[in-house]
Amino acid sequence: GHGSVQRVWPEAGSFSDDGMGPVPARWRGVCHDQSSSDDAQVRCNRKLIGAQYFNKGYAATVGRAGAGASPASTRDSDGHGTHTLSTAAGRFVPGANLFGYGNGTAKGGAPGARVAAYKVCWRPVNGSECFDADIIAAFDAAIHDGVDVLSVSLGGAPTDYFRDGVAIGSFHAVRNGVTVVTSAGNSGPGAGTVSNTAPWLVTVGASTMDREFPAYLVLGNKKRIKGQSLSPVPLPANKHYRLISSVEAKAEDATVAQAQLCMEGSLDKKKARGKIVVCMRGKNARVEKGEAVHRAGGVGLVLANDEATGNEMIADAHVLPATHITYSDGVALLAYMNSTRLASGYITLPNTALETKPAPFMAAFSSQGPNTVTPQILKPDITAPGVSILAAFTGLAGPTGLTFDSRRVLFNSESGTSMSCPHVAGIAGLLKALHPDWSPAAIKSAIMTTTRVQDNTRRPMSNSSFLRATPFAYGAGHVQPNRAADPGLVYDTNATDYLHFLCALGYNSTVIGTFMDGPNACPARPRKPEDLNYPSVTVPHLSASGEPRTVTRRVRNVGAEPAAYDVRVREPRGVSVSVRPSRLEFAAAGEEKEFAVTFRARAGRFLPGEYVFGQMVWSDGAGRRRHRVRSPVVVRVGAHRTSKTSVPVA
């Protein structure tokens, strides 16, 4: 069973139970919709086997009257939960498309899995919509019900684990054998923006895939600029239209900044009428800018990136003919508009393009490391497709999600780490079915150590500015589901490992009690956070004077027996790395071996305070059957301990 801490649109074809057998006897979940009106009830079936909502924390904050504005139902009002749950485990749906684009058979990661939805997010109050009390209650319910995997496309700012509902709830879930997959956050591309940083979570960044929806801006000088769009409306006549920047169409009472971003009401109807308007990306929703142009009488929208968003183009269901172009193309467009008095252009209807290159590359919005809560744990852990993802949608909102959008669609294209998280949750479900005895940590290790870090041009994966991306963007790399089924070795962790980790953070027994019941005394010899048996290795405080730093790891053979693995290390710049022993010989499957990794700064070869990256690969020979168990290695030399280390409240 798959859980999603979300909400659901039960009528979606993705949740059809045609041909599915009876619900497993061990399932203890329910469908509890208290709503009086019959049509709003969420009825379960043999596919969608649970639907619950949790709003007591929300109601306690906003008061009963406020809560009335958000009807207490598991029904999905904004499409987010339906989209993510169908991505994780939707059934095969032939002829899925959005306005005819991306047409084909849709399926989730684990189409044969049963699904349940746990709704914890409500209409925002003071910027908060998902309350810790409700999140923890949902985790408890999911553990009780018997889910195997939880897909959690939500999270707050990075914060101490004992103050974070997702971290506390997921710790209990993981200890009960539930794999918890979360989103890294959409606050990129700045450094240190990643949330959901706890080591028991699988934290997923977002990258592109090799399908695009190109719509071309054809300029008066015959130049063609490729953008992206899912707008179903063509420009009225097949002719060129005047092209102006939104600042030129500024309304009297609007600021230049408001007009530049095409904020609602910032454009003058007389100046915009009949023209294609160029707006800058940022602040307000991309589709809202198109609505602002539409209301001002503009015929088309060109959405241009700022420098930070680089080459990330997102296909949206715009309300008028539109295209979203890169930063460099925006600069070129500006040059053309400045060079002529009567700039003109035409926007083509989008089409669906496959096998586009380069792909994948990192989305600009994908939150990045380093981990500001525990710098010794690399986050995100992995990246997966999260840009222009087509999945099932609610019948209560239009594809743009804005109030004026009266269109209704069965499938919608959405972008975010919310969309990449369920891709990995689906893979975790498949691995759980293949290896029912694997722990959440073993499943996570298999996913992390079998990734790729190259794109489809065989070059290192890049970021949205087409510069080389780092593990702070993609973690261990881009997920490869088929490889994860047979990883060879896994880095496993048990309750004692996590206890030692919490002790290493300096948590006292009271705080540790919020995570673990039972005896939770810390060991006499304190361990270091970087000694947690994690599939990546991060040393954020390596001494500049050349003193060594050693971390330990252990791996279990889950592949052939007997087996022998040799290690190869690509050292981070300015750091020497040695692994002892450098060969591991396993007599049987299930056997565990320890090894130690020692780091030393090379005098004069490093930049103090800068992170450098390498990798460590265990492999068992050559040929088609060989395993490559790869771990990213992240080191910072000479940085003082200024990082926010958690100080527990006594």
Side-chain angles (χ1 to χ4, degrees), residues 571-621:
E571 296 178 325
R573 192 182 66 247
V575 176
S576 81
V577 183
S578 71
V579 180
R580 292 285 172 271
S582 59
R583 183 177 176 88
L584 300 173
E585 297 195 10
F586 298 92
E591 196 180 333
E592 279 203 310
K593 298 267 181 200
E594 278 214 1
F595 62 91
V597 190
T598 302
F599 298 86
R600 267 193 187 84
R602 298 178 188 267
R605 300 274 183 86
F606 58 84
L607 281 172
E610 185 191 40
Y611 276 104
V612 283
F613 307 96
Q615 64 175 24
M616 170 178 75
V617 183
W618 290 97
S619 77
D620 60 351

Side-chain angles (χ1 to χ4, degrees), residues 6 11 47 53 68 77 101 282 348 361 417 521 582 592 611 614 617 622:
Q6 305 295 354
E11 292 78 11
K47 170 68 176 177
Y53 63 84
S77 50
Y101 303 124
T348 67
F361 64 86
T417 53
S582 59
E592 279 203 310
Y611 276 104
V617 183

Side-chain angles (χ1 to χ4, degrees), residues 461-476:
M461 206 163 29
S462 56
N463 65 15
S464 63
S465 301
F466 289 167
L467 303 167
R468 190 174 181 153
T470 74
F472 283 152
Y474 55 66

Side-chain angles (χ1 to χ4, degrees), residues 9 14 27 42 92 96 124 172 183 242 282 377 379 401 429 431 453 469 493 510 516 518 533 545 556 577 600 645 650:
W9 186 255
S14 301
W27 176 248
V42 169
F92 290 80
H172 290 269
S183 300
R242 274 289 314 281
I377 302 289
K379 289 284 172 173
L431 292 177
V453 288
T493 45
T510 317
M516 306 178 76
N533 199 39
S545 58
R556 188 170 79 244
V577 183
R600 267 193 187 84
T645 336

Side-chain angles (χ1 to χ4, degrees), residues 346-381:
Y346 180 78
I347 300 170
T348 67
L349 203 58
N351 66 310
T352 303
L354 304 177
E355 293 174 29
T356 60
K357 292 183 163 77
F361 64 86
M362 294 306 302
F365 61 74
S366 188
S367 289
Q368 298 216 23
N371 177 341
T372 55
V373 184
T374 319
Q376 299 88 342
I377 302 289
L378 174 66
K379 289 284 172 173
D381 292 305

Side-chain angles (χ1 to χ4, degrees), residues 33 82 101-102 113 116 150 158 187 192 233 239 242 261 266 340 351 378 402 424 434 456 486 498 516 573 586 594 626:
D33 234 322
T82 302
Y101 303 124
L150 272 168
S187 307
V233 270
K239 61 166 191 151
R242 274 289 314 281
L261 293 169
S266 67
T340 170
N351 66 310
L378 174 66
L402 300 169
V424 175
L434 274 175
N456 58 3
D486 178 23
Y498 287 130
M516 306 178 76
R573 192 182 66 247
F586 298 92
E594 278 214 1
R626 98 176 161 150

Side-chain angles (χ1 to χ4, degrees), residues 85-214:
L85 189 54
S86 63
T87 299
R91 306 224 32 213
F92 290 80
V93 181
N97 65 80
L98 173 59
F99 304 136
Y101 303 124
N103 191 38
T105 298
K107 76 171 188 71
R114 320 277 177 162
V115 297
Y118 298 82
K119 177 171 174 174
V120 299
C121 296
W122 305 89
R123 199 156 287 168
V125 196
N126 307 334
S128 201
E129 50 193 325
C130 325
F131 288 81
D132 277 350
D134 297 330
I135 292 169
I136 293 171
F139 271 110
D140 277 349
I143 297 165
H144 162 274
D145 293 351
V147 307
D148 295 309
V149 179
L150 272 168
S151 184
V152 187
S153 289
L154 54 95
T159 179
D160 285 327
Y161 304 134
F162 58 85
R163 290 203 183 93
D164 179 351
V166 172
I168 295 166
S170 61
F171 188 93
H172 290 269
V174 168
R175 284 207 51 203
N176 282 281
V178 182
T179 301
V180 183
V181 185
T182 54
S183 300
N186 302 331
S187 307
T193 46
V194 65
S195 63
N196 289 326
T197 61
W200 43 89
L201 296 169
V202 185
T203 307
V204 189
S207 30
T208 63
M209 54 184 171
D210 62 357
R211 175 174 71 186
E212 292 180 338
F213 300 98

